[in-house]
């Protein structure tokens, strides 16, 4: 294998991976591009090569030819292979999936392995240590390799079918939370070998890697299915045998410290999973008794999502300015509204993260706390023990707070205390379930809050939705009729032919043409004129008309703007906004 001399190039600014240094030396990549791609791969938790090919700087085919030439390794077109004829069981499927490699054959005491990155020493050492055999690399195109890895590694469903082939008997070890989550560190081999634990661990890791927000474990009369919510859409991932439903539910409840003997009422819990040397992900667990067993939904709580910064949430410049101006005020109430799953918690915690300074006392009451934020005093509401939102708020006011965050205003008592706090020198942040910003004010009035209390305390309301973001690699111009654009909400003067809307296509880097989500916001400061409307008990329609006069976009208008600049599709905007 030919050596690559990178001594003449300055590649010391960032500790680039070997592939990046090799491409710089070969003249295929400049230093700044390599560093930018590497930094992005670190922030998105993806591999350098995945980010490199996904960015479009180098195509997968061009990269493979360059790597083959530079390292003197053979290049193979994987499309010419029959996946069914490849050897199985020579290498653990977890290693194949983690390092994106496929074993092509075995020659004496060496494995012939397809890879797109022969500089990955960690992969080579892992394969050598696991198999006690040497490794000879064969270069393949990264996109084709990904497809082959997925085709040749056993699915979770196949694995579980094999496990229950003996009539549904399982080797189910009764272990502690620590053993279940840290079995590799404790050496608890019996836990690692337990089929249920292995299946659950695979589902959690797969969900995290696929950027899912929730996992659904659903028992029915004759089937059992696992679905992930990815970019807001539920996708069926596995259909394990129905025989595992009770043992899987028990395993999840043990790890979540729930009562495994109680199957008649819903329960809520939490668990953790270590996904790296210094990375732990929290999961919120909810169980629900159904006709054919307990349905379990696991929400992935990634603390890093609250630290992405306000720019990553998708606010337009004027919306961002209004929000930052409001949270900089010393007192008042800021409300974030929207349905479940619209990103309200992340928005609130992004604001708290901006406000979280050594000289500020912040207290939050939630049911339960979803994101752990160091420096913030977080309280979990426990209604059975008498710790309601109202009780927590009363306690907060005796704790010398500067900023208070209430998970949700559900009743008049909580609303009254929160408003009094906002009126007496505290900044209060909270959420409500309403359709848009103007209806939030009338919703508070319907809860029994006096108009003068609303007018004197609420300073800004943000309504939001999450729309799927178009994949930058494969989105294509959409041919939408002029009449349809007008019907959607565009004005005649907007449709001037200088811009185009885009539609999803779908590629190996995305999910049916979408990758990630972007926020659609209606950021409405409560102006003096709106306060007058509230004081005379005006309707939500009057408030909406005044907001429009003051330049506040509706949710539909905000979504249409996102479609106009190519962030999402028009059909997605129509699906997530109401008008």
């Amino acid at each position: 294998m030919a050596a690559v001399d990178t001594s003449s190039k300055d590649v010391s600014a960032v500790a680039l991976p070997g592939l990046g240094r090799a491409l710089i030396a070969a003249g295929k990549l400049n230093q700044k591009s390599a560093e930018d791609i590497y930094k992005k791969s670190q922030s998105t938790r993806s591999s350098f090569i995945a980010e490199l090919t996904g960015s479009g700087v180098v195509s997968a085919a061009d990269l493979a030819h360059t790597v083959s030439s530079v390292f003197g390794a053979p290049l193979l077109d994987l499309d010419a292979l029959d996946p069914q004829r490849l050897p199985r069981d020579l290498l653990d499927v977890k290693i194949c999936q983690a390092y994106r490699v496929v074993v092509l054959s075995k020659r004496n005491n060496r494995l012939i392995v397809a890879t797109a990155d022969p500089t990955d020493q960690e992969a080579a050492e892992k394969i050598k240590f696991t198999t006690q055999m040497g490794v000879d690399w064969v270069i393949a195109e990264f996109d084709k390799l990904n497809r082959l890895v997925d085709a040749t590694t056993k699915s979770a469903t196949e694995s579980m079918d094999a496990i229950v082939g003996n009539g549904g008997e399982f080797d189910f070890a009764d272990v502690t939370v620590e053993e279940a989550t840290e079995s590799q560190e404790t050496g608890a081999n019996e836990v690692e070998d337990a089929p249920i634990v292995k299946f659950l661990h695979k589902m959690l890791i797969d969900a995290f890697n696929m950027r899912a927000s929730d996992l659904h474990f659903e028992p029915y009369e004759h089937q059992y299915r696992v679905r992930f919510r990815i970019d807001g859409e539920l996708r069926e991932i596995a259909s394990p045998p129905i025989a595992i439903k009770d043992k899987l539910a028990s395993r999840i409840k043990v790890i979540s410290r729930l009562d495994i003997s109680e199957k008649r009422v819903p329960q809520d819990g939490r668990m953790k999973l270590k996904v790296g040397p210094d990375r732990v992900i929290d999961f919120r667990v909810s169980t629900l008794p159904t006709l054919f067993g307990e349905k379990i939904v696991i929400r992935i709580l990634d603390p890093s999502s609250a630290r992405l910064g306000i720019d990553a949430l998708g606010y337009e410049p004027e919306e961002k300015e209004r929000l930052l101006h409001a949270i900089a005020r010393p007192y008042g109430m800021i409300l974030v509204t929207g349905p479940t799953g619209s990103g309200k918690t992340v928005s609130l915690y992004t604001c708290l993260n901006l406000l979280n300074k050594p000289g500020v006392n912040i207290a939050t009451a939630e049911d339960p706390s979803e994101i752990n934020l160091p420096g913030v005093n977080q309280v979990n509401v426990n209604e059975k023990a008498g710790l309601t939102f109202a009780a927590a708020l009363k306690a907060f006011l005796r704790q010398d707070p500067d900023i208070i965050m209430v998970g949700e205003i559900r009743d008049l008592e909580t609303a009254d205390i929160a408003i009094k706090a906002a009126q007496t020198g505290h900044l209060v942040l909270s959420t409500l379930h309403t359709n848009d910003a103007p209806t939030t004010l009338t919703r508070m009035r319907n809860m029994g809050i006096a108009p003068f209390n609303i007018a004197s305390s609420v300073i800004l309301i943000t309504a939001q939705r999450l729309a799927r973001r178009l994949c930058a690699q494969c989105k294509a111009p959409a041919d939408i009729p002029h009449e349809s654009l007008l019907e959607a909400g565009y004005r005649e003067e907007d449709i001037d032919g200088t811009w185009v809307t885009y539609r999803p296509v779908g590629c190996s880097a995305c999910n049916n043409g979408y990758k990630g989500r972007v926020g659609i916001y209606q950021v409405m400061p409560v102006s003096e004129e709106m306060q007058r409307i509230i004081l005379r008990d005006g309707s939500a329609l009057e408030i909406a008309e005044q907001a429009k006069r003051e330049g506040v976009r509706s949710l539909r208008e905000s979504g249409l703007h996102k479609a106009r600049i190519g962030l999402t599709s028009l059909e997605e905007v129509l699906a997530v906004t109401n008008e």
Side-chain angles (χ1 to χ4, degrees):
M1 187 175 290
V4 178
D5 179 16
T6 59
S7 59
S8 62
K9 304 287 182 180
D10 180 15
V11 291
S12 59
V14 173
L16 291 172
L19 183 62
R21 297 195 299 272
L23 291 174
I24 292 173
K28 289 290 183 180
L29 205 60
N30 61 50
Q31 177 77 27
K32 185 178 185 308
S33 295
E35 290 181 358
D36 290 345
I37 291 169
Y38 179 67
K39 289 175 183 176
K40 189 173 181 181
S41 71
Q42 294 293 97
S43 65
T44 58
R45 305 188 304 273
S46 61
S47 67
F48 176 82
I49 191 170
E51 200 62 51
L52 176 67
T53 54
S55 67
V57 175
V58 180
S59 70
D62 190 20
L63 176 64
H65 281 86
T66 301
V67 169
S68 174
S69 175
V70 168
F71 290 94
L75 177 64
L76 179 65
D77 183 2
L78 296 181
D79 285 344
L81 294 179
D82 180 1
Q84 301 302 320
R85 298 178 68 87
L86 291 174
R88 302 289 180 100
D89 305 321
L90 288 178
L91 186 62
D92 185 32
V93 294
K94 290 181 181 178
I95 295 176
C96 295
Q97 291 170 333
Y99 296 102
R100 311 315 286 174
V101 295
V102 171
V103 176
L104 302 175
S105 64
K106 176 186 174 186
R107 183 184 301 144
N108 297 325
N109 198 37
R110 301 188 69 82
L111 292 178
I112 314 301
V113 183
T115 182
D117 182 9
T119 68
D120 192 345
Q121 291 300 316
E122 183 180 339
E125 293 301 322
K126 186 75 173 179
I127 295 171
K128 289 177 185 177
F129 178 80
T130 305
T131 64
Q132 297 298 303
M133 288 187 278
V135 177
D136 290 330
W137 293 127
V138 171
I139 309 303
E141 294 172 36
F142 185 68
D143 52 353
K144 294 180 180 179
L145 182 63
N146 273 335
R147 290 195 293 269
L148 188 60
V149 168
D150 294 335
T152 54
T153 53
K154 285 186 177 180
S155 67
T157 300
E158 292 171 333
S159 299
M160 293 308 297
D161 281 336
I163 289 169
V164 296
N166 57 3
E169 293 298 321
F170 293 83
D171 176 20
F172 183 73
D174 187 12
V175 297
T176 64
V177 174
E178 290 74 22
E179 288 175 323
T181 57
E182 300 179 18
S183 57
Q184 290 181 337
E185 294 182 14
T186 61
N189 293 328
E190 70 278 11
V191 177
E192 196 63 27
D193 291 338
I196 296 296
V197 176
K198 292 173 71 175
F199 176 72
L200 176 59
H201 185 269
K202 174 178 171 53
M203 289 293 98
L204 294 175
I205 292 294
D206 284 354
F208 177 75
N209 290 336
M210 296 170 72
R211 306 186 313 277
S213 60
D214 301 87
L215 299 83
H216 292 240
F217 297 87
E218 302 170 317
Y220 298 96
E221 186 174 9
H222 301 297
Q223 72 171 114
Y224 191 75
R225 70 176 177 180
V226 181
R227 294 192 291 174
F228 293 173
R229 188 175 292 280
I230 302 171
D231 294 339
E233 281 197 335
L234 278 172
R235 293 172 53 191
E236 185 167 336
I237 301 298
S239 296
I242 191 73
I244 77 165
K245 65 176 184 178
D246 292 332
K247 292 185 182 293
L248 183 59
S250 295
R251 171 54 55 193
I252 294 172
K253 289 163 80 172
V254 164
I255 298 174
S256 308
R257 292 186 170 92
L258 300 178
D259 184 355
I260 63 171
S261 65
E262 181 56 79
K263 301 179 180 180
R264 299 166 299 175
V265 297
Q267 297 187 66
D268 294 304
R270 294 174 77 98
M271 63 184 182
K272 296 176 181 289
L273 181 68
K274 197 169 185 179
V275 296
D278 55 356
R279 184 89 185 267
V280 176
I281 298 298
D282 285 331
F283 298 88
R284 188 182 72 195
V285 180
S286 173
T287 70
L288 178 70
T290 66
L291 284 177
F292 303 106
E294 288 181 286
K295 176 184 176 180
I296 299 176
V297 176
I298 301 178
R299 166 71 57 89
I300 300 177
L301 309 175
D302 189 356
S304 63
S305 60
R307 301 188 182 97
L308 293 175
I310 196 167
D311 292 324
L313 299 183
Y315 285 95
E316 295 301 318
E318 65 273 17
E319 296 168 346
K320 174 184 170 183
E321 185 180 346
R322 290 173 191 152
L323 180 60
L324 291 178
H325 177 72
I327 66 174
R329 292 177 63 171
Y331 59 88
M333 180 180 285
I334 297 171
L335 295 172
V336 180
T337 74
T340 301
S342 60
K344 299 188 298 296
T345 300
V346 171
S347 292
L348 282 176
Y349 267 93
T350 300
C351 293
L352 289 181
N353 203 37
L354 294 171
L355 298 166
N356 188 15
K357 294 178 174 59
V360 179
N361 181 18
I362 303 176
T364 73
E366 300 165 84
D367 184 21
S369 296
E370 294 190 4
I371 298 173
N372 180 25
L373 195 61
V376 174
N377 305 289
Q378 297 171 275
V379 174
N380 275 338
V381 169
N382 186 343
E383 296 196 1
K384 289 183 180 178
L387 182 57
T388 61
F389 279 117
L393 275 173
K394 289 177 183 176
F396 287 167
L397 295 176
R398 295 190 290 269
Q399 292 273 317
D400 186 30
D402 297 301
I403 299 167
I404 296 172
M405 196 270 272
V406 188
E408 182 184 348
I409 294 178
R410 297 177 178 172
D411 52 59
L412 180 59
E413 184 182 11
T414 304
D416 276 338
I417 300 170
I419 284 174
K420 286 174 184 174
Q423 291 171 334
T424 54
H426 306 91
L427 185 64
V428 179
L429 290 78
S430 189
T431 70
L432 271 177
H433 290 278
T434 58
N435 286 330
D436 58 15
T439 56
T440 303
L441 296 168
T442 54
R443 166 85 175 99
M444 295 178 75
R445 185 72 188 91
N446 292 337
M447 288 174 68
I449 305 170
F452 64 86
N453 278 333
I454 300 173
S456 63
S457 60
V458 180
I459 59 176
L460 180 132
I461 302 171
T462 295
Q464 65 181 71
R465 300 290 189 274
L466 286 178
R468 290 180 295 169
R469 187 189 293 265
L470 282 168
C471 174
Q473 305 304 316
C474 66
K475 67 180 182 181
D479 185 16
I480 301 177
H482 185 89
E483 296 76 14
S484 298
L485 292 173
L486 290 174
E487 187 179 341
Y490 287 110
R491 295 171 300 180
E492 190 69 53
E493 57 267 30
D494 294 332
I495 312 171
D496 55 9
T498 60
W499 56 274
V500 294
T501 56
Y502 290 86
R503 61 180 175 83
V505 177
C507 67
S508 59
C510 65
N511 175 29
N512 298 325
Y514 296 98
K515 187 176 183 180
R517 289 194 282 180
V518 63
I520 295 175
Y521 302 95
Q522 180 185 28
V523 183
M524 188 184 82
V526 179
S527 63
E528 290 185 5
E529 186 56 41
M530 287 185 192
Q531 289 175 341
R532 294 189 187 96
I533 296 172
I534 296 167
L535 288 171
R536 68 168 186 264
D537 219 5
S539 67
L541 185 59
E542 291 178 84
I543 296 169
E545 289 172 351
Q546 179 60 32
K548 188 172 184 179
R549 284 193 290 270
E550 294 176 7
V552 176
R553 286 193 183 113
S554 68
L555 279 169
R556 171 61 62 83
E557 289 169 342
S558 181
L560 292 175
H561 177 71
K562 290 288 194 299
R564 179 173 179 167
I565 61 178
L567 287 179
T568 188
S569 63
L570 183 58
E571 56 263 41
E572 183 70 7
V573 170
L574 298 179
V576 300
T577 61
N578 298 320
E579 278 221 349

